[in-house]
């Protein structure tokens, strides 16, 4: 029995193609409905903003399944055109997102067909690497050619401190073009040191995507020059009332691991002093481990096995081994 009313015949007619402009609102509603079963389900604005804030977005990169008998959209896969750094070099990358099928139409191969449409589009655009993140259906993607590449995170308990910071701290105004340019330059020099970080092409991506994905951004300066910045998402946990901070973005001009540990600690302490109620004496911080390995010496290590890669013809000869994982980061501000 369909949630739309009536039964869905097994021999229904399906059409797979790119979305059309006039179908955009219907596509949004499909995404909202399909993901409404998740904890903290994303609202309509989440999917709309991910389209309107993405400088490379086009309906030609959204692939849909249509039940032609009932003239309704029943499945979706979106291709995000990006680049990532692999072994220090930018490589064209296709991100996979908004993968969903209406519950009434599942187990009919719809996602498989739509993913093949996305793969064909990537080959047409000469994209040689595809990356996605999944929390539930890794076996499906593995059967279609994607492979798990773990990401490691550090989980750190941070208490208030009275020590003076080694750096001048300030909140970053993401509406200030000069400040955004400083962040962009720092990130552009830093990101190639890691594996899998997203190439942020042009200030439009920073001003439209990054600025809207960040919540709190703090910079650390010395002698007037930006040495590092961090973007944090800080929330109170409903279960126990504790405070949790997630690092969504980070970059630094520093190279020495101990020096990075110091500036990261100062950034976090400033956030705790200025963004968290004084009654809170301790917070938990989750951060990508490779960005500050020395901090990992006093952190719990958490492994995320949801990041998956697929290489196509023309991809660099990269090996997803332990040495890759030790530098593997995709900052949450770039998530799709």
């Amino acid at each position: 029995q369909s949630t739309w009313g009536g039964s869905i015949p097994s021999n229904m007619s399906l059409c797979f193609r790119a979305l059309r402009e006039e179908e955009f609102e219907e596509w949004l509603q499909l995404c909202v409905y399909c993901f409404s079963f998740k904890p903290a389900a994303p609202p309509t604005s989440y999917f709309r903003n991910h389209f309107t804030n993405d400088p490379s977005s086009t309906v030609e990169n959204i692939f849909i399944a249509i039940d032609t008998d009932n003239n309704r959209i029943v499945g979706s896969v979106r291709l995000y055109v990006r680049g990532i750094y692999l072994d220090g070099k930018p490589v064209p990358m296709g991100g996979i997102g908004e993968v969903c099928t209406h519950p009434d139409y599942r187990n009919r191969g719809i996602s498989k067909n739509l993913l093949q449409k996305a793969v064909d589009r990537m080959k047409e655009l000469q994209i040689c690497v595809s990356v996605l993140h999944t929390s539930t259906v890794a076996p499906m993607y593995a059967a279609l050619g994607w492979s798990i590449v773990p990401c490691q995170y550090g989980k750190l308990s941070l208490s208030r401190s009275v020590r003076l910071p080694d750096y001048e701290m300030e909140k970053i105004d993401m509406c200030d073009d000069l400040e955004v340019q400083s962040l962009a330059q720092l990130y552009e020099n830093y990101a190639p040191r890691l594996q899998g970080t997203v190439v942020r092409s042009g200030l439009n991506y920073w001003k439209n995507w990054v600025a809207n994905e960040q919540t709190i951004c703090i910079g650390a300066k010395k002698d007037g020059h930006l040495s590092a910045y961090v973007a944090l998402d800080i929330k109170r946990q409903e279960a126990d009332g504790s405070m949790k901070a997630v690092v969504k973005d980070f970059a630094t001009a520093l190279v020495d691991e101990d020096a990075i540990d110091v500036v990261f600690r100062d950034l976090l302490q400033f956030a705790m002093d200025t963004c968290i109620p004084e009654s809170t004496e301790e917070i938990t911080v989750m951060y990508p481990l490779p960005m500050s390995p020395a901090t990992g010496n006093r952190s719990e290590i958490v492994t995320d096995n949801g990041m998956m890669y697929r290489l196509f013809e023309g991809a660099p000869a990269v090996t997803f081994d332990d040495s890759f994982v030790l530098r593997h980061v995709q900052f949450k501000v770039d998530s799709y």
Side-chain angles (χ1 to χ4, degrees):
Q1 186 74 14
S2 167
T3 55
W4 273 316
S7 300
I8 304 298
S10 59
N11 62 343
M12 66 180 171
S13 178
L14 290 171
C15 171
F16 300 93
R17 60 167 172 80
L19 186 72
R20 295 169 183 162
E21 294 281 357
E22 63 270 20
E23 298 167 326
F24 183 74
E25 294 299 325
E26 183 185 350
W27 171 76
L28 281 180
Q29 294 310 310
L30 173 75
C31 293
V32 171
Y33 180 73
C34 290
F35 288 96
S36 64
F37 304 101
K38 296 177 62 176
T44 305
S45 59
Y46 171 86
F47 300 102
R48 188 186 302 279
N49 291 342
H50 268 202
F51 186 84
T52 57
N53 295 339
D54 183 355
S56 66
S57 64
T58 169
V59 291
E60 293 177 356
N61 291 335
I62 298 175
F63 302 96
I64 57 171
I66 297 178
D67 174 355
T68 56
D69 295 329
N70 295 288
N71 194 30
R72 58 172 68 117
I73 300 174
V74 299
S76 160
V77 167
R78 181 179 169 190
L79 172 64
Y80 288 79
V81 177
R82 295 283 191 271
I84 57 171
Y85 291 104
L86 294 175
D87 293 335
K89 297 179 180 179
V91 176
M93 182 271 283
I96 299 294
E98 275 85 277
V99 180
C100 61
T101 301
H102 191 282
D104 293 344
Y105 292 79
R106 290 175 184 167
N107 301 313
R108 298 169 188 256
I110 288 176
S111 289
K112 179 180 178 180
N113 279 279
L114 291 173
L115 285 164
Q116 186 57 53
K117 286 283 187 184
V119 168
D120 293 342
R121 178 65 171 154
M122 282 187 268
K123 292 178 178 178
E124 179 185 332
L125 296 173
Q126 297 184 314
I127 290 172
C128 57
V129 179
S130 178
V131 182
L132 59 84
H133 186 274
T134 179
S135 56
T136 56
V137 290
M140 179 191 77
Y141 293 114
L144 297 174
W146 279 266
S147 300
I148 292 173
V149 182
C151 286
Q152 292 188 319
Y153 292 86
K155 184 178 180 181
L156 174 70
S157 293
L158 183 71
S159 301
R160 292 192 182 275
S161 173
V162 295
R163 66 173 293 276
L164 294 175
D166 292 3
Y167 295 84
E168 307 158 34
M169 298 292 168
E170 64 179 23
K171 290 186 178 180
I172 301 294
D173 180 3
M174 296 300 292
C175 295
D176 186 317
D177 286 355
L178 290 178
E179 291 199 7
V180 173
Q181 287 175 6
S182 295
L183 300 185
Q185 185 61 56
L186 194 63
Y187 178 86
E188 185 177 344
N189 293 330
Y190 169 76
R193 290 156 47 180
L194 302 168
Q195 296 277 28
T197 42
V198 168
V199 178
R200 299 177 185 167
S201 301
L203 282 180
N204 277 343
Y205 182 83
W206 276 88
K207 293 166 69 175
N208 292 301
W209 184 278
V210 176
N212 284 288
E213 292 294 314
Q214 288 185 355
T215 48
I216 299 166
C217 188
I218 300 166
K221 293 183 177 180
K222 186 163 278 192
D223 300 325
H225 297 287
L226 188 66
S227 298
Y229 74 84
V230 69
L232 299 165
D233 184 19
I234 302 175
K235 293 180 179 177
R236 187 174 297 280
Q237 303 302 292
E238 292 184 5
D240 58 8
S242 63
M243 299 293 291
K244 180 180 179 180
V246 175
V247 172
K248 299 190 71 174
D249 195 16
F250 176 81
T252 181
L254 304 172
V255 176
D256 179 76
E257 289 187 2
D258 290 332
I260 294 172
D261 179 40
V262 170
V263 74
F264 182 40
R265 176 189 59 196
D266 284 353
L267 287 163
L268 293 176
Q269 287 291 350
F270 182 81
M272 194 165 186
D273 291 342
T274 58
C275 306
I276 295 174
E278 291 184 4
S279 58
T280 302
E281 292 297 326
E282 184 177 271
I283 62 170
T284 299
V285 181
M286 290 286 291
Y287 65 95
L289 191 65
M291 59 169 258
S292 186
T295 310
N297 294 331
R298 55 180 189 279
S299 303
E300 176 187 345
I301 309 302
V302 179
T303 300
D304 176 6
N305 287 314
M307 194 71 72
M308 304 185 76
Y309 281 65
R310 182 174 174 181
L311 304 181
F312 304 111
E313 184 178 352
V318 61
T319 303
F320 300 122
D321 55 13
D322 290 346
S323 63
F324 184 96
V325 173
L326 287 174
R327 295 167 57 206
H328 184 211
V329 174
Q330 188 176 109
F331 287 109
K332 292 188 180 298
V333 76
D334 296 302
S335 296
Y336 38 83

